[in-house]
Amino acid sequence: MSNPEPFSGFKRQPVSAALMFGREWLRAPLLVGAVAPSGAALARAMTAGMSAADGPVIELGPGTGVFTGALLNRGIAADQIAAIEASQRFAAALATSHTGVTVIAADATRVSHLTPFGPAGAATIICGLPLLSMPPAKVLRILAGSFVALRPGGVFRLFTYGSRCPVSGAMRDRLGLVVRRTAFVALNLPPASVYSLEREEPAG
Ligand SMILES: C[S@@+](CC[C@H](N)C(=O)[O-])C[C@H]1O[C@@H](n2cnc3c(N)ncnc32)[C@H](O)[C@@H]1O
C-alpha cells in the first residue's frame, strides 16, 4: 500500500544544497540543466503512489538528492536505491548526505552495465536528467539502457519543463514504449510535467 498524501516527513532542502546546486550550474550549465533543485511538490509528484514494493529504484541525475529523500520518505529502503550521477561533486555530497544509498559517479548512458540489483533488475527508474538539453542519440542510449536495467513491467518516470514528453514519438515507437502524463506541477520553478514510460504490452 502506498503512503498517504501528503506525507509528513518531507523536508525542504537546506540552503547549502541550493547553493551547491547553483555553483554546479555555473560550472556546467548544460550538464546540470536547472539553476535550482526541484521543489517538494515535484518530488512528491515524481514519487506519487510509491511504496517499499516499488523498489529497487535506480535514480538518474539525483543532484542534491531531492527525489532521493522523497523515495526514502515513501518507505523505499536506502539499500534499495542506486543513484547514478555524472557530477563528481554531487555524487560525493549525496553519498555523505544519504548514507546507505548506493551512489555511482558515472554517466547515465552506462545504466545497463552499472545496475547493482543484478539480473532481476530494478522495478522503477526515477529520471532527473536534463533530457531536453541532450542530443537525441544520447537520450536514446539512456532510454534503451534503462529498459535493460528495468525488470519486465518496470516503470521509467521523468519530469520536463517542456510542453511535451522529451522522449519523441519516433523514439518511443522504436523502443516499444507507451507514455502517460501523470502530473502537472505548477508549484515548481519552473512548472513541470511528470511522465511515466512503460514497455508496450505484447498484443494477444
Ligand atoms: C536538472 S538536474 C536535477 C537534479 C535533481 N534530480 C533535482 O530534481 O533537483 C540534472 C542532474 O542530472 C545530472 N546529469 C546530467 N547529465 C547526466 C548524465 N549523462 N548522467 C548522469 N547524471 C547526469 C546533473 O549533474 C544533475 O545532477
Side-chain angles (χ1 to χ4, degrees), residues 23 49 53 100-101 105 156:
R23 273 200 304 271
V101 170
F156 184 102

Side-chain angles (χ1 to χ4, degrees), residues 3-4 8 14 33 40 42 55 102 107 127 134 139-140 147 153 184-185 189:
N3 290 345
S8 55
L42 181 54
T102 301
D107 195 288
C127 176
M134 292 180 180
V139 177
L140 181 62
F147 278 89
F184 174 72
V185 183
L189 265 179

Side-chain angles (χ1 to χ4, degrees), residues 20-171:
M20 181 193 185
F21 201 99
R23 273 200 304 271
E24 283 301 281
W25 177 76
L26 284 172
R27 280 195 189 100
L30 279 184
L31 180 81
V32 175
V35 290
S38 298
L42 181 54
R44 275 196 293 275
M46 282 292 282
T47 58
M50 289 181 76
S51 67
D54 296 290
V57 178
I58 297 174
E59 186 181 356
L60 304 178
T64 49
V66 184
F67 300 160
T68 323
L71 288 167
L72 293 167
N73 277 319
R74 295 280 186 193
I76 314 266
D79 65 3
Q80 294 297 293
I81 303 173
I84 300 175
E85 171 56 61
S87 152
Q88 296 280 349
R89 285 185 191 81
F90 278 147
L94 192 71
T96 305
S97 62
H98 292 72
T99 42
V101 170
T102 301
V103 180
I104 305 169
D107 195 288
T109 49
R110 300 190 52 230
V111 56
S112 63
H113 304 286
L114 294 171
T115 179
F117 302 118
T124 313
I125 291 184
I126 297 287
C127 176
L129 300 171
L131 297 175
L132 279 180
S133 44
M134 292 180 180
K138 182 163 183 167
V139 177
L140 181 62
R141 277 184 69 192
I142 291 170
L143 258 292
S146 292
F147 278 89
V148 172
L150 278 170
R151 59 179 59 156
V155 181
F156 184 102
R157 297 180 177 203
L158 64 84
F159 77 91
T160 182
Y161 306 130
S163 58
R164 61 176 79 151
C165 180
V167 180
S168 67
M171 211 176 282

